[in-house]
Amino acid sequence: MTAAGGSAGTVILTLNGGSSSLKFGLFDVAEGKAEPLLTGEIETEGGGAVRLHAASATGRFHIDHSLGEAAPGSWIGHVVDVLERSDLPAPAAIGHRLVHGGPRLLAPVLIDDAVLDQLESVRSFAPVHIPAALATIRAAQGHFPGCPQIACFDTSFHTTMPAVASTLPLPKALRDRGVWRYGFHGLSCESIVRHLGPALPERLIIAHLGNGASVTAVRAGRSIDTSMGLTPTGGLIMGRRTGDLDPGILLHLLRDCGYTPATLATLVDRESGMLGISGIDSDLRRLNAAAPTEPDAALAIAMFGHSLAKMLAAMACSLGGVDMIVFTGGIGEHDCGVRATAATALAWMGVALDPARNAAGAETISGNSSRVVLRVLAAQEDAQIALHSADLLGASNRSLRDDEPV
């Protein structure tokens, strides 16, 4: 890595980790724009193998190879190696995506011991995500000593929800302990709002569809309702997560079927959703391939589409109508069948899909007669992390200068 001063703005390294992957990016942030210098990902493949791929924005640096069975604890070391080989500027700060920060961490924050302690205390709010994020933060601290680390939360975007949407129907004593609807995929939603810019409509629905999936109602750029709740398990049927489920089922499993809290957590977060329905896979690409001969795969796809259409209609109700629906995330951006299913189900709302545009993956896929604009936009979570991190780093530096004696 070269000195950070070789860039036009503030260089930010972003780390967006999950239980089985780590996305990373190096961004040059200046004048409210985050320009990618390099993007990459470490992800698990079949049989426990791990693959690394990365490329610079100029195309002069590119890497794509297997890391064997490299343990997640070693992944940051491989990111450091990529940065050093790329000869790009060193980061001035590192921004991390945090799915959940609990009731006290609701805005981007410089990471210190108190923040880490708070994250440890809310592991149960997102047990699939928070432990992996904490491991990534600690590894990054070891490899980049002295470099500011910043946490950016998916929940931040949803703090504008009114009480009627954020309050869960539970006793006040539980609500006072932080048991309420938080909402997730907020960094993705923010990036969509930013991307739309002057084209942002008054009533927008964002469908972030991937292995985790959610739908958010946005009025004038602010979240007013969303499908996920206290944890990222609720809402839509997802790849491995149940989505909304009758709580009586969980009580039945605990009382009568020998489940424990630990095995129940595994059931609802890792063994259910489209994987559980199909018995084949959580990956919609594999399910699409299997559906012609496997009825359970076809059922999983149909149930996912039905769940999505119902949630889109619910968010339209929260908004009092809808002007635009944006599909994003891996499924939203690439699966034309899911988009077609949702559009067909919402024809009564005046939604009309252009099949040719949809099949081609055009940015606008609605037909000319549609009363609702349908768009397909890429989620830019990492760029959003870079923007938040640069803003917070700049504010922190200004505060330090202001504290200096005159």
Side-chain angles (χ1 to χ4, degrees), residues 110-366:
L110 281 165
I111 297 171
D112 57 18
D113 288 343
V115 169
L116 290 174
D117 288 345
Q118 180 62 27
L119 291 170
E120 287 282 3
S121 73
V122 295
R123 276 175 172 252
S124 62
F125 282 35
V128 175
H129 301 87
I130 292 178
L134 283 167
T136 298
I137 290 169
R138 293 193 170 101
Q141 289 176 325
H143 283 282
F144 296 91
C147 187
Q149 311 265 338
I150 295 164
C152 300
F153 299 97
D154 262 329
T155 51
S156 299
F157 182 70
H158 300 291
T159 57
T160 56
M161 287 194 297
V164 70
S166 63
T167 304
L168 296 173
L170 294 167
K172 188 175 186 302
L174 290 174
R175 303 201 302 270
D176 289 343
R177 293 177 60 180
V179 182
W180 63 69
R181 184 182 305 281
Y182 286 84
F184 303 95
H185 295 129
L187 291 162
S188 171
C189 291
E190 279 187 278
S191 77
I192 296 299
V193 169
R194 176 173 54 83
H195 179 98
L196 289 172
L200 178 71
E202 175 70 16
R203 301 172 301 179
L204 168 68
I205 299 177
I206 301 172
H208 181 106
L209 310 176
N211 196 47
S214 68
V215 177
T216 297
V218 179
R219 183 183 295 281
R222 295 160 65 90
S223 172
I224 67 160
D225 204 352
T226 193
S227 58
M228 285 178 166
L230 172 72
T231 76
T233 303
L236 299 173
I237 293 171
M238 294 173 248
R240 293 172 178 266
R241 296 174 229 164
T242 60
D244 287 345
L245 197 66
D246 173 5
I249 295 173
L250 306 182
L251 295 174
H252 167 68
L253 295 176
L254 285 169
R255 285 190 304 233
D256 303 324
C257 299
Y259 277 79
T260 66
T263 57
L264 200 61
T266 299
L267 174 71
V268 300
D269 278 328
R270 299 181 184 274
E271 297 177 346
S272 298
M274 288 190 282
L275 171 64
I277 298 163
S278 69
I280 297 173
D281 207 307
S282 61
D283 191 318
L284 198 55
R285 292 167 295 188
R286 283 201 62 196
L287 296 181
N288 282 328
T293 57
E294 297 287 348
D296 286 342
L299 177 62
I301 296 168
M303 288 178 64
F304 178 71
H306 184 59
S307 175
L308 172 61
K310 286 199 299 182
M311 196 58 72
L312 289 168
M315 293 302 152
C317 178
S318 292
L319 287 164
V322 58
D323 304 309
M324 180 186 293
I325 298 172
V326 171
F327 296 95
T328 191
I331 294 173
E333 295 167 33
H334 302 295
D335 196 296
C336 61
V338 165
R339 300 193 298 260
T341 296
T344 300
L346 299 177
W348 58 272
M349 281 173 37
V351 174
L353 187 74
D354 184 304
R357 293 174 185 168
N358 185 44
E363 188 172 287
T364 299
I365 59 172
S366 46

